[in-house]
Every structure is written in C-alpha cells, then in structure tokens.
Amino acid sequence: MAVWSVVPEYEDQPLASRPILSAVAFAGGEPVSEARHAARDFLSDVQAVHGVPVSDRAVGMVQLVVSELVTNAQKYAPGPCLLDLEISDGAVEISVWDTDPTLPVAQAADPGRVGQHGLEIVIGACHSFEMRREPVGKRIRAAVVLADDPGGDPGGRPM
C-alpha cells in the first residue's frame, strides 16, 4: 500500500520546496509487479503533478532496479520489506529495507552463470549504489538519474 503524505517537518514549506517521496510497505507475499507498478505510478505523478521531467529510460531503469531489489528482499529476507522513492538532485533515490542483516555480494562476472546477475545489473545501471546494515536488517540504496545523457550513458547524467 502506497503512502503519499507530507512529512510533518515540511508542512510549513511551500509545495515547490517540499520533498517528493513515496513509501510502500510489503508484508512479504505480494507479487513483485506491485513494486514495479508503485515505482511507475510514482514517476508518472512526479511528471504530471510536479512537472519534473522523467525520461522513458529512467522509468524503465527505476522499474528494473525496484524489481531486482524487492525480489532479493522477498527471496532472502523473511518478513516485510519497505520501498522508499524520493526525488533528489535530479535523480530518483530508491531505498529497500528488509529484515536480513546479511549484505549481498556481487559475484564475479561469469557469462556462463545462469541467474544471480541482479546485483551486477543494479550496480551497473545506477548513478550511485550503497548498502548498509541497520539495527534491524539492512537497507540498500540506489539512484537513477531522471534525465538522459546526451552521450548515451545508460546511467544517465547527474543534474
């Protein structure tokens, strides 16, 4: 279920200077497609309501990253996971929290390996990537730039 709300500390700020964010909680049994749809709907609102340009490439990359991160959370961590999306500095910051404190490790490149390439794809597709343990579980953050790079860099360009 998506939560679209104003964070109390921003209530007194003009609408244009408030952060644009969304939080979605998953109990653990929902299809990953719900996370992709939440990301797509968020970016549609970012464009339609807030007038922030979002390239088609960014929409596709965000859905891919969300799909990979939420899939891993559901596959390797028991219980709920949280998906946060926020527009910041010309990028969408994607954050997925889950209950397992074990940090994932990208495997060495192996074109013969079937599967387990998701983390490699996410790291390669994103402008920035970080992961950290939290008091309970872990949080993985990735950023996808909203504008296309005129040179064709799939990670976009920072604004």
Side-chain angles (χ1 to χ4, degrees):
M1 173 178 183
V3 177
W4 307 82
S5 63
V6 175
V7 179
E9 60 259 31
Y10 299 111
E11 286 180 329
D12 296 331
Q13 292 184 5
L15 187 59
S17 61
R18 292 180 185 170
I20 304 170
L21 49 90
S22 170
V24 184
F26 297 98
E30 302 86 350
V32 173
S33 61
E34 288 187 23
R36 286 193 305 272
H37 294 312
R40 185 191 60 226
D41 293 348
F42 172 72
L43 292 175
S44 292
D45 284 352
V46 164
Q47 289 188 95
V49 175
H50 300 281
V52 176
V54 179
S55 71
D56 290 342
R57 176 211 46 86
V59 173
M61 286 292 184
V62 167
Q63 289 183 92
L64 172 65
V65 170
V66 164
S67 181
E68 290 294 337
L69 296 179
V70 171
T71 295
N72 286 348
Q74 289 184 345
K75 185 174 180 180
Y76 298 110
C81 74
L82 302 174
L83 168 65
D84 295 318
L85 303 165
E86 181 175 0
I87 302 301
S88 177
D89 298 323
V92 59
E93 300 282 339
I94 303 158
S95 172
V96 174
W97 170 88
D98 67 45
T99 60
D100 184 359
T102 306
L103 298 178
V105 177
Q107 297 185 11
D110 178 1
R113 184 178 70 238
V114 177
Q116 297 189 341
H117 294 279
L119 190 57
E120 297 169 57
I121 292 167
V122 168
I123 292 169
C126 292
H127 175 65
S128 65
F129 178 85
E130 72 176 56
M131 53 186 152
R132 68 171 188 252
R133 286 184 187 88
E134 297 210 335
V136 175
K138 70 178 166 295
R139 183 172 302 274
I140 299 179
R141 294 180 189 264
V144 174
V145 176
L146 296 172
D148 284 337
D149 177 6
D153 181 353
R157 62 178 169 80
M159 295 183 75

